[in-house]
């Protein structure tokens, strides 16, 4: 009988932990992170001039190697790709190099296994993944400016 009462108390405490207020706060935080991820993707696009684009591209590869949880599997003149993460919560990054008139745009992309569930709902590793992606994408342009001349 004591075990049943103890189990009931634990269940009651756990139910209280997922109150409507807490769920609303979590939903609000998810929307805030999603907006931040959209902004971070925009921030991860950098234009470079022909004179310094090769150096910026080489730095992009180095940046990806430093931040990805998976190794680089392709690195050529137009794309850098890392392996697909094998485990949940692992981030991988890729980049593209696209000519745009007289300049070129370098864009850093990110993905993370376990970040989203069915129907783009918050996955089990969303918070961990969002934090890593936000930090890495938002730091990309600053990294290039700090290490490449003319950025």
């Amino acid at each position: 009988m004591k075990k049943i009462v103890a189990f009931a108390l634990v269940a009651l405490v756990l139910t209280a932990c997922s109150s409507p207020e807490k769920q609303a706060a979590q939903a609000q935080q998810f929307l805030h992170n999603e907006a931040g991820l959209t902004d971070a993707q925009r921030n991860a696009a950098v234009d470079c001039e022909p004179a310094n684009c090769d150096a910026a591209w080489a730095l992009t590869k180095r940046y990806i190697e430093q931040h990805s949880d998976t190794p680089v599997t392709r690195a050529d003149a137009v794309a850098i790709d890392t392996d697909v993460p094998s485990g949940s919560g692992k981030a991988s990054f890729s980049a593209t190099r696209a000519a745009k008139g007289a300049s070129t745009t370098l864009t850093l992309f990110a993905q993370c296994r376990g970040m989203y569930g069915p129907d783009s709902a918050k996955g089990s590793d969303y918070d961990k993944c969002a934090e890593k992606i936000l930090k890495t994408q938002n730091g990309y342009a600053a990294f290039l400016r700090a290490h490449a001349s003319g950025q």
Side-chain angles (χ1 to χ4, degrees), residues 9-150:
L9 285 173
V10 169
L12 183 61
V13 168
L14 291 176
T15 302
C17 289
S18 62
S19 67
E21 294 84 14
K22 185 175 180 180
Q23 290 175 348
Q26 288 173 338
Q28 185 65 31
Q29 182 62 41
F30 176 72
L31 292 175
H32 175 75
N33 282 347
E34 285 296 289
L37 288 166
T38 299
D39 290 342
Q41 183 59 65
R42 263 192 300 271
N43 295 338
V46 177
D47 289 333
C48 58
E49 299 303 320
N52 63 354
C53 210
D54 286 341
W57 189 239
L59 286 168
T60 298
K61 181 177 183 266
R62 188 169 101 197
Y63 190 76
I64 288 172
E65 290 170 335
Q66 291 172 350
H67 291 86
S68 181
D69 291 320
T70 59
V72 170
T73 58
R74 173 187 176 193
D76 57 31
V78 296
I80 301 168
D81 294 313
T82 62
D83 205 359
V84 176
S86 61
S88 184
K90 303 289 186 185
S92 65
F93 297 90
S94 60
T96 59
R97 180 177 178 173
K100 199 171 89 174
S103 69
T104 299
T105 301
L106 309 181
T107 306
L108 179 68
F109 299 96
Q111 66 179 359
C112 192
R113 187 167 288 229
M115 188 166 177
Y116 294 102
D119 300 321
S120 298
K122 183 177 175 179
S124 61
D125 287 314
Y126 181 85
D127 293 331
K128 178 181 173 183
C129 290
E131 180 181 336
K132 182 159 190 157
I133 289 170
L134 286 166
K135 180 181 174 186
T136 304
Q137 285 191 309
N138 284 327
Y140 173 61
F143 176 83
L144 290 181
R145 281 192 302 274
H147 294 91
S149 62

